[in-house]
Amino acid sequence: MALRLRGRKSLPKGFVLSKPINPSDYDESVIYKLEQKRRLIITRKHDGWKVFVWVREDGAHFYTAGLNLIDSRLNHLASIIQERMDLFKVRNTLLVGECILEVDGEDDVGKVNSFFKADLAKAQKLQEEFGKVQLRLFGMVPENGKEVSEEYSALGIFIHLLRTFVNCTLVGTVEGVVSSYDDAKKTVVKKGWEGLVLYDSHYHYQYRLDGKAPKRPDGCYKWKPILEDDFIVAGHFLSENDPKRLKEVVLHQIDPVTGKEFECGKLGSFDRDTRAELYELLVNRELYG
């Protein structure tokens, strides 16, 4: 089923884009083989809010990962994209990126979450206090079911986006890491980054339009450092008396020796704000990606 955007007023609600393969689901030798073939693209994984940007004839329109239209709080980013629209080879292009808010040079996921969940007036005040929300792009999806070409390979996407947003501080691509894979992992730990996203330069995004997640295709991999206090939320339970209240979550960790996930218990001792935020993350799925 082809993604057809021309003439539409909103994104198709069943659109789901492929995601990177999790660290526990691939053998690291795959990354070293790509590196040997000089086909490895190493990028910084930001800790922010995933968005889609629909570049149309009438401007740039921002959507959440749940495909809900975002209001005017991102007009400063939309205007930058609109100024550069002539550089896009095809209208009705869908861009994929991460909105971030940096505090002292580091991604502050709490601040960017507050920005998106606050009303418009509070969101603008937050930007006045901490600076403008920025956009870091990493993907591009062709419209109208066009045959996938090198232009839409991972390498082609990054080259095009770099040329489009050169010398722009608020909009740009995710940060590329020009080093060996092993050195890039050390950089993540040294700088306290969220992790890495690794691409085969030939990689193409996949998507489905029936609301189901596509199989995570080979060629895009997520890497995060294994820390003793890192947990993976592998499942959740809702209150039997109140289905809108999160009861507890199932926690997994990754064995640093085998690299495999294992269950390490359940947790339900949250304060009210954390419980509400986890409910939104796990049940409403607005923050996924």
Side-chain angles (χ1 to χ4, degrees):
M1 220 180 200
L3 176 65
R4 302 189 183 279
L5 297 175
R6 197 176 302 275
R8 294 185 63 96
K9 297 297 184 182
S10 61
L11 291 175
K13 284 297 181 183
F15 175 77
V16 183
L17 191 67
S18 57
K19 296 180 180 179
I21 300 175
N22 289 319
S24 59
D25 295 330
Y26 68 87
D27 190 307
E28 201 173 27
S29 63
V30 171
I31 309 301
Y32 289 109
K33 287 178 182 177
L34 287 174
E35 187 171 41
Q36 290 171 359
K37 295 177 181 178
R38 297 187 177 182
R39 282 172 40 180
L40 181 63
I41 299 174
I42 306 174
T43 69
R44 175 183 177 181
K45 183 181 186 301
H46 281 282
D47 199 0
W49 187 292
K50 182 180 176 182
V51 294
F52 293 113
V53 190
W54 186 2
V55 182
R56 304 191 323 210
E57 294 290 348
D58 61 348
H61 303 264
F62 282 78
Y63 288 77
T64 67
L67 305 184
N68 296 312
L69 184 64
I70 297 173
D71 60 24
S72 60
R73 70 190 63 206
L74 295 179
N75 276 1
H76 64 290
L77 300 177
S79 63
I80 292 171
I81 295 173
Q82 286 164 205
E83 288 171 2
R84 290 162 170 75
M85 280 182 62
D86 288 342
L87 298 176
F88 286 102
K89 297 178 182 178
V90 184
R91 290 292 183 268
N92 286 302
T93 294
L94 194 62
L95 303 177
V96 194
E98 197 95 359
C99 279
I100 61 171
L101 206 163
E102 291 186 329
V103 177
D104 296 328
E106 297 183 1
D107 294 345
D108 191 321
V109 67
K111 292 288 191 303
V112 80
N113 285 350
S114 297
F115 169 82
F116 279 100
K117 291 192 284 187
D119 62 37
L120 187 58
K122 290 181 180 178
Q124 300 300 11
K125 285 183 179 179
L126 193 146
Q127 288 193 109
E128 290 172 8
E129 183 177 357
F130 296 102
K132 293 289 188 181
V133 167
Q134 301 174 35
L135 175 64
R136 295 293 174 259
L137 296 165
F138 54 81
M140 189 165 64
V141 184
E143 63 92 29
N144 265 352
K146 292 183 180 294
E147 184 177 345
V148 175
S149 65
E150 285 307 306
E151 180 184 358
Y152 290 101
S153 68
L155 181 59
I157 288 170
F158 280 114
I159 289 174
H160 182 62
L161 292 177
L162 282 169
R163 288 173 176 169
T164 301
F165 298 104
V166 64
N167 297 326
C168 183
T169 57
L170 290 177
V171 179
T173 65
V174 290
E175 186 174 339
V177 183
V178 184
S179 73
S180 69
Y181 172 50
D182 285 336
D183 284 345
K185 291 190 289 185
K186 294 175 184 176
T187 299
V188 169
V189 176
K190 181 180 179 180
K191 295 188 175 182
W193 290 353
E194 174 77 1
L196 300 171
V197 180
L198 308 148
Y199 298 87
D200 179 344
S201 60
H202 296 176
Y203 172 77
H204 293 93
Y205 281 96
Q206 304 292 321
Y207 59 81
R208 291 181 64 155
L209 298 176
D210 58 4
K212 299 179 181 179
K215 178 182 178 296
R216 301 189 183 210
D218 293 340
C220 183
Y221 309 92
K222 182 166 56 177
W223 181 87
K224 292 180 66 176
I226 299 174
L227 304 174
E228 290 182 0
D229 57 351
D230 270 354
F231 292 94
I232 299 166
V233 178
H236 65 274
F237 297 94
L238 302 178
S239 168
E240 295 177 1
N241 298 323
D242 182 4
K244 291 187 177 181
R245 181 179 184 274
L246 183 72
K247 180 181 179 182
E248 59 187 6
V249 296
V250 181
L251 298 178
H252 283 194
Q253 280 191 305
I254 297 178
D255 188 311
V257 177
T258 66
K260 302 296 183 181
E261 283 186 31
F262 65 92
E263 184 174 338
C264 54
K266 298 180 178 66
L267 182 65
S269 55
F270 308 111
D271 60 41
R272 184 173 63 181
D273 290 343
T274 301
R275 192 180 300 277
E277 188 170 345
L278 282 170
Y279 179 89
E280 184 172 0
L281 174 66
L282 298 171
V283 182
N284 290 345
R285 297 178 181 274
E286 280 296 310
L287 305 183
Y288 267 10

